[in-house]
Amino acid sequence: MRIVSFLSTSFFSILLLASVVTADEGMWPLYDLDKIDFGSLQDRGLVLSPNQIIDSDGGGIASAVVRLGATASFVSAKGLIITNHHVAFGAVQKQSSLENNLIEFGFYAGSNAEEIPAIGYHAYVTLSSEDVTDQIRSKVSDKLDGKARYRATEKAIKELIKKSEKGRDVKCSVSKMFGGSKYVLYTNMDIKDIRIVYIPPDMIGA
């Protein structure tokens, strides 16, 4: 892995990085990790158990994953987050000027007070995921097809999101999995105060 940039929040701080992950054959959402042959992965060097990766009762390294326009991760208990250079590019661009070109020359905050806002950025931390396939399908008649079916499905999704967010300071979304054969409701903490801690000069970040 190579560090390419950092961001931060008021009590969460952000740190930006690039990494490459090679997956085994197939796509495995976190909630399906129990279907993976962990024995074969441990034979190849994996030392973590499924519960150490994701735990339905909270915890596991998956809980460090953050959505910040793209994937990011917590790397400290004080909220420092790391993500790819290009993910933070827009935030740095908005804070740059001809006289102070942070994109070209980079930026480093030596203290919390020197951090600058990442304008327009939110960080989303997944609190829970739930299979809502039956709830969505129950709202869509089998007699519908084409555009009518699409509209009924979208309406059901929007109603579920509205109901799930009501009275709570969370951001919910529904993902269509495997071509719409499965629907998953994600409930996320929405962190709005995001700040830039470090980003390297463009020659290094690029």
Side-chain angles (χ1 to χ4, degrees), residues 4-200:
V4 294
S5 51
F6 299 84
L7 288 179
S8 151
T9 68
S10 55
F11 60 98
F12 297 92
S13 301
I14 293 190
L15 167 52
L16 321 182
L17 140 118
S19 64
V20 176
V21 177
T22 302
D24 207 341
E25 185 175 349
M27 182 174 67
W28 298 98
L30 288 174
Y31 52 76
D32 274 346
L33 284 188
D34 59 329
K35 298 177 182 177
I36 296 179
D37 180 6
F38 267 82
S40 67
L41 296 179
Q42 289 166 343
D43 289 342
R44 283 179 277 175
L46 179 67
V47 297
L48 297 175
S49 69
N51 281 345
Q52 287 176 308
I53 296 174
I54 183 168
D55 186 346
S56 60
D57 294 326
I61 61 172
S63 62
V65 176
V66 181
R67 183 160 53 89
L68 191 75
T71 304
S73 301
F74 282 110
V75 292
S76 86
K78 294 184 177 180
L80 197 62
I81 298 172
I82 193 165
T83 191
N84 294 329
H85 178 262
H86 71 270
V87 177
F89 196 86
V92 179
Q93 184 181 42
K94 289 175 182 176
Q95 290 287 12
S96 293
S97 63
L98 291 175
E99 297 76 21
N100 186 26
N101 191 332
L102 303 182
I103 292 176
E104 182 177 0
F105 299 110
F107 172 81
Y108 171 71
S111 67
N112 290 349
E114 295 175 5
E115 296 171 1
I116 56 177
I119 299 169
Y121 277 61
H122 289 228
Y124 298 101
V125 181
T126 302
L127 301 176
S128 66
S129 60
E130 177 187 356
D131 186 338
V132 293
T133 306
D134 291 341
Q135 294 183 55
I136 298 299
R137 287 182 175 171
S138 68
K139 303 286 186 180
V140 182
S141 171
D142 291 336
K143 297 178 181 179
L144 298 176
D145 58 13
K147 186 178 291 186
R149 185 173 186 83
Y150 171 81
R151 287 177 174 171
T153 302
E154 290 301 302
K155 180 180 179 182
I157 289 173
K158 289 176 181 178
E159 289 176 348
L160 180 58
I161 290 174
K162 183 177 180 180
K163 177 182 176 182
S164 301
E165 290 180 343
K166 187 175 181 180
R168 306 170 65 196
D169 187 17
V170 296
K171 185 74 173 178
C172 296
S173 62
V174 172
S175 292
K176 300 177 184 179
M177 311 295 290
F178 311 112
S181 62
K182 189 170 187 176
Y183 295 87
V184 179
L185 172 68
Y186 290 96
T187 300
N188 301 285
M189 178 192 302
D190 181 2
I191 305 170
K192 304 176 180 68
D193 187 2
I194 311 298
R195 302 181 188 180
I196 302 169
V197 174
Y198 169 72
I199 190 160

